[in-house]
Amino acid sequence: RKKEVVPKGCRLVIAHCVNPYGMAWSRRMNENNVDLNRNFLLNENEHKNMRVNEGYQALHSFVMPEHRGNRYFDHARFLLEAGWLLLTKGRPAVTQALAGGQYTHTDGLFFGGHELQQGPRKLVECLKSLGVNESNTKLKRVAHIDIHTGLGPSGVDSILADIPKGEHTHTLAQ
């Protein structure tokens, strides 16, 4: 079988992990409870200007209750409230409210942070040092391939790529 090589004029950069804390503790968030998938807002003002996720606002007290009592009662209450939310709002709306991320509750689920975190910041600095930035006029295109082990079945990699099918880089990514 013929080995694929990186085409002339292309650069391949492999970053193993930008969230070592999450990797060590099997969590998607880092040590600051920031979901790094929602933290790659590169302009420092983007974090300040993020719209409020109204759907998450309505669900925050449900997914992050302040008071916990008897675990059996809490579990039963959770199931009843979850059923009610799904019946009244619908599964797509609840899923979007949670998975859409949020930037208001530092203790909440899918919190995107108020500033670029250390892992993403170091990756961006590395890429800039390699010429992957807005000021590089020779740069024509960037293909970003994100391999996740946290999606789908446990231990199975999922490749997330925003590359149009048919392009040579799409073939390489597969």
Side-chain angles (χ1 to χ4, degrees), residues 52-67:
V52 173
N53 179 342
E54 298 295 340
Y56 182 85
Q57 292 287 97
L59 296 175
H60 178 72
S61 62
F62 166 68
V63 295
M64 302 298 294
E66 288 185 32
H67 303 288

Side-chain angles (χ1 to χ4, degrees), residues 1 12 25 27 31 45 49 52 57 62 65 74 76 95 106 122 135 138 140 143 146-147 154 156 162-163 172 174:
R1 183 175 163 176
L12 176 65
W25 294 99
R27 300 284 182 256
E31 63 275 16
N45 291 326
N49 298 326
V52 173
Q57 292 287 97
F62 166 68
D74 286 345
T95 300
T106 58
K122 287 186 175 192
S135 62
K138 295 180 181 178
K140 294 179 184 171
D146 193 354
I147 302 176
S154 179
V156 176
D162 188 16
I163 306 168
L172 287 175
Q174 291 179 326

Side-chain angles (χ1 to χ4, degrees), residues 25-36:
W25 294 99
S26 298
R27 300 284 182 256
R28 67 181 295 128
M29 72 289 281
N30 70 0
E31 63 275 16
N32 300 320
N33 193 46
V34 174
D35 179 349
L36 298 187

Side-chain angles (χ1 to χ4, degrees), residues 50-106:
M50 287 303 295
R51 66 171 177 72
V52 173
N53 179 342
E54 298 295 340
Y56 182 85
Q57 292 287 97
L59 296 175
H60 178 72
S61 62
F62 166 68
V63 295
M64 302 298 294
E66 288 185 32
H67 303 288
R68 290 187 166 88
N70 178 293
R71 71 180 185 168
Y72 299 107
F73 175 75
D74 286 345
H75 183 68
R77 189 183 80 215
F78 175 84
L79 292 175
L80 286 171
E81 286 184 39
W84 179 252
L85 284 169
L86 292 171
L87 283 172
T88 58
K89 298 186 182 295
R91 184 175 179 197
V94 172
T95 300
Q96 181 56 44
L98 293 174
Q102 53 89 18
Y103 296 84
T104 52
H105 297 279
T106 58

Side-chain angles (χ1 to χ4, degrees), residues 117-154:
Q117 296 291 296
Q118 181 179 352
R121 186 175 57 249
K122 287 186 175 192
L123 177 60
V124 168
E125 289 168 2
C126 174
L127 291 172
K128 283 182 178 179
S129 75
L130 295 169
V132 181
N133 57 60
E134 305 87 17
S135 62
N136 184 347
T137 58
K138 295 180 181 178
L139 186 66
K140 294 179 184 171
R141 172 176 10 177
V142 173
H144 171 243
I145 302 168
D146 193 354
I147 302 176
H148 276 263
T149 56
L151 298 173
S154 179

